[in-house]
Amino acid sequence: MARLNWGMIGGGEGSQIGPAHRIGAGLDGHFTLAAGAFDVDPAKGVEFAGTLGVAEDRAYGDWRAMLEGETARDDRVDLVTVATPNATHYEITKAFLENGFNVLCEKPMTMTVAEAEDIVATARKSGRICAVNYGYSGYPMVRHMRAMVAGGELGRVRLIKAEFAHGFHANAADADNPRIRWRYDPQQIGPSAQFADCGIHALHMASFVSGQEAEELSADFVSCIASRTLEDDAMVSFRMSGGAVLRLWTSSVAVGRMHGLTLQVFGEKGGLSWEQEHPNQLYWTPVDGRTQIIERGAPDLSAAAQRASRVTIGHAEGMPLAFANIYADLAEVIMAEKESRSPDPAATHYPTALDGLRSMAAISAAVESANKSGNWTDARPPSFRG
């Protein structure tokens, strides 16, 4: 596969997410980091671009300059990653889509449902890819879970339990720390904090694996640290499109929990359990049978899991490798278009703007439900309602 040109907005020096994207995009040699606007401070962004090997004429001071500069080039970037603060995602993503660029946007895709509906429409009109970085769906064993469910090994899925709970914001003394404070600022993150930040990862994973989407929800939001305007703990129950029930807990004040992303799926014929902190192992328990450990890299895994496995069995994998699978999917789809061929079907399950829209609808519904003492609320995007 020929190398594709890649550009990045945000994710500069000191960024939490930037390095994972750069490792993921570069791992397979599909992408060359050709352009970027890495920092809100233009000078810092240009300087950092130089340390990454970006040519001086493609090290931009801001995203608008990058849009103008790349639009004018014959060798424009094939994919733009938007890794900026939440409040800027919509404007940047929409502008690049309208100018014919493929986009991978960090989550949440937008700040409002209306903006998300507009991004979906813009992507359709432009004919460009708009992916959303629900990167944990790139893990091989998560893809194997999906294949087992789709293959009927669990039978009808009855119950899903998802968690994304950590304790890194539990110290009230850190409430004014700028690296933490912005996550609870409605002007920067929108109407929800912890659910919008972490809970929608767990929701997307539940939908990705089960093949079911959220239809109704009941939410309970709590600000355990009183100075916070937005929630730092949430419990949300969902009624899913295929009849399953999803119980989701997300928290940033669960002292002792580290990353805390887990998924359990229970069906008529058996149950599955997976933890992001131990991603190589998938636990499978058939009805009336013993619990079995399915190891990543084993020769009898699904084709989807085999395609996503990058290191030999028994060796640890990590988040950047999961991100790399998303980038590998996008590279395959982009190259297939360039070569006028159909992409590998296994590469077409990357998270899209529709997933971003469904997440925004769930956030909006959860905020409404929490404000009404947990009333059951329609969780579907307006465009999906009858």
Side-chain angles (χ1 to χ4, degrees), residues 268-286:
E268 297 170 312
K269 299 179 182 179
L272 291 169
S273 179
W274 180 85
E275 300 179 14
Q276 197 270 164
E277 291 175 51
H278 306 281
N280 280 8
Q281 288 78 40
L282 174 62
Y283 292 83
W284 160 240
T285 309

Side-chain angles (χ1 to χ4, degrees), residues 67-81:
L67 177 61
E68 181 179 357
E70 291 300 306
T71 299
R73 299 182 68 101
D74 292 333
D75 60 347
R76 57 158 56 185
V77 290
D78 297 290
L79 176 70
V80 177
T81 293

Side-chain angles (χ1 to χ4, degrees), residues 27 74 115 154 180 190 205 265 272 297 352 365:
L27 189 65
D74 292 333
E115 289 175 347
L154 277 72
I180 294 176
M205 284 264 279
V265 182
L272 291 169
T352 69

Side-chain angles (χ1 to χ4, degrees), residues 224-248:
C224 293
I225 294 180
S227 63
R228 290 176 177 158
T229 304
L230 300 176
E231 86 287 350
D232 50 26
D233 186 276
M235 182 70 78
V236 189
S237 293
F238 295 85
R239 293 168 179 159
M240 307 295 282
S241 58
V245 174
L246 166 62
R247 311 295 191 194
L248 189 156

